[in-house]
Amino acid sequence: MRYINIRFFLLFIFFTSQYFMASAQKSTNIWSKKSISEKNSSLKIARKSIPKKYKVYDLDLESLKNKLKNAPKRKDGLKNSNVILNFPNSNGELENFQIFETPILAENLQKKYPNIKSYIGTSLNKSGTTIRFSVTAAGLNAMTLKNAYESTFIDPYTKNRKSYLVYNKSDAPTPEEDFVCKFDDYNSANKTPNNLNQNTSAKVENANDGKLRTYRLAVATTGEYAQFHLTQQGVAETETEAVKKGAVLSAIATTMTRVNGIFERDVALTMVLVDNNTDIIFLDGV
């Protein structure tokens, strides 16, 4: 009888622990995969282009924000974070990342817009893989950079910021017009002995020394740019100027989070938006 009771007790402990482990795993899973056909077209965000291939995931955005409150700010000497989050890749798998906050706004601007945040994550599954993402009024936008593999993007899919597209860079549509940079032509035409630096003995800092340099950045916007993003985010005409500028600033921060991901990887350079950047956000289109 005593043996039976002990065995029953051990079985009870085993199944109880399994239940709580399963419950904990479910509670920490903020993503759920969805069928593309499940999404009502009226709920989708209007996009200029749709990737050729993509997957759709639902995201518990509020749970994500709550977990990110504990993410430490990235700084020299800090190697580990206790905030571990998973993000979907284009293969339909969830990858775990160790998350750090990387402020995209200068300190005073951040105080005015505390809901605009930028982060970096290092993969716990694949060495050399990082994710850069922003969480703003526009929802989550993310870009995963991988060694020897193409980048993966995560963008809002529905107006309620609940569903997201996950796709590879190669599946994004080709731009209608090729980008042409004419800086070299202009630079060559205007390069004369008078405007060249004659002090050849001056010490020049090496930009390839592995040190991350931070630059202050001011981004001006046109009224047309602002109106596009206000429409995308569903901001009403009756909203205050501060709300509207916050929405446009969210769009700028989303873009710069991805730009910083590339610049940090390639030239060890990052940019932070200046305190008064909203002064040059223009809301009225022509």
Side-chain angles (χ1 to χ4, degrees):
M1 178 67 72
R2 189 173 183 181
Y3 171 74
I4 293 176
N5 288 339
I6 292 174
R7 185 171 65 174
F8 176 79
F9 176 74
L10 292 175
L11 287 173
F12 174 78
I13 293 296
F14 172 77
F15 285 114
T16 301
S17 64
Q18 292 296 308
Y19 170 78
F20 282 111
M21 287 175 63
S23 298
Q25 184 176 13
K26 184 177 181 180
S27 66
T28 57
N29 188 11
I30 57 177
W31 297 94
S32 57
K33 193 173 181 181
K34 295 294 180 182
S35 167
I36 295 174
S37 61
E38 291 181 44
K39 298 303 169 189
N40 188 327
S41 59
S42 65
L43 299 177
K44 298 175 184 177
I45 294 175
R47 293 172 58 100
K48 289 185 176 181
S49 60
I50 293 290
K52 290 175 285 186
K53 293 191 298 183
Y54 59 90
K55 291 179 171 57
V56 177
Y57 283 82
D58 276 358
L59 168 65
D60 186 343
L61 187 58
E62 290 308 310
S63 290
L64 174 67
K65 290 179 180 179
N66 286 333
K67 294 175 188 298
L68 289 172
K69 290 178 182 178
N70 298 317
K73 286 186 171 63
R74 180 182 62 177
K75 57 185 178 181
D76 292 341
L78 184 60
K79 303 299 182 183
N80 297 305
S81 168
N82 60 356
V83 176
I84 308 298
L85 296 174
N86 54 37
F87 290 85
N89 61 29
S90 58
N91 295 325
E93 304 165 335
L94 292 175
E95 295 185 36
N96 291 320
F97 292 85
Q98 184 176 218
I99 308 299
F100 297 86
E101 184 182 346
T102 52
I104 195 78
L105 309 182
E107 186 175 354
N108 289 336
L109 190 61
Q110 184 72 81
K111 290 178 181 177
K112 294 179 183 177
Y113 298 96
N115 295 324
I116 299 177
K117 294 292 185 72
S118 179
Y119 301 88
I120 185 173
T122 55
S123 176
L124 299 180
N125 304 104
K126 298 178 181 177
S127 177
T129 297
T130 60
I131 188 169
R132 301 300 296 249
F133 65 96
S134 56
V135 179
T136 68
L140 168 77
N141 290 84
M143 174 181 68
T144 304
L145 301 169
K146 313 172 186 179
N147 287 344
Y149 296 95
E150 63 178 316
S151 301
T152 299
F153 295 92
I154 303 176
D155 292 328
Y157 185 50
T158 53
K159 297 174 184 177
N160 60 7
R161 315 299 185 241
K162 181 179 179 181
S163 298
Y164 291 79
L165 296 175
V166 182
Y167 60 96
N168 283 330
K169 179 181 178 182
S170 61
D171 291 321
T174 304
E176 295 180 3
E177 296 183 7
D178 292 334
F179 174 77
V180 178
C181 177
K182 297 185 177 181
F183 173 78
D184 287 340
D185 295 338
Y186 176 85
N187 198 39
S188 298
N190 289 275
K191 187 179 291 184
T192 64
N194 291 331
N195 58 26
L196 289 176
N197 182 8
Q198 301 296 322
N199 186 9
T200 57
S201 61
K203 182 180 178 181
V204 178
E205 290 189 3
N206 183 7
N208 194 29
D209 57 10
K211 294 180 181 179
L212 180 63
R213 291 172 170 81
T214 300
Y215 286 81
R216 298 170 68 243
L217 174 71
V219 177
T221 70
T222 63
E224 289 77 12
Y225 177 91
Q227 290 302 315
F228 172 82
H229 286 288
L230 291 175
T231 300
Q232 284 287 89
Q233 296 181 37
V235 178
E237 280 290 330
T238 54
E239 283 289 0
T240 63
E241 180 177 290
V243 170
K244 291 179 179 178
K245 288 195 172 186
V248 180
L249 187 63
S250 292
I252 296 171
T254 294
T255 298
M256 291 311 305
T257 295
R258 290 179 172 176
V259 170
N260 277 346
I262 301 297
F263 273 52
E264 287 186 21
R265 182 193 64 181
D266 293 350
V267 291
L269 179 156
T270 194
M271 289 169 278
V272 174
L273 294 167
V274 295
D275 285 328
N276 60 342
N277 198 101
T278 50
D279 293 347
I280 52 175
I281 291 178
F282 300 100
L283 299 174
D284 297 328
V286 176

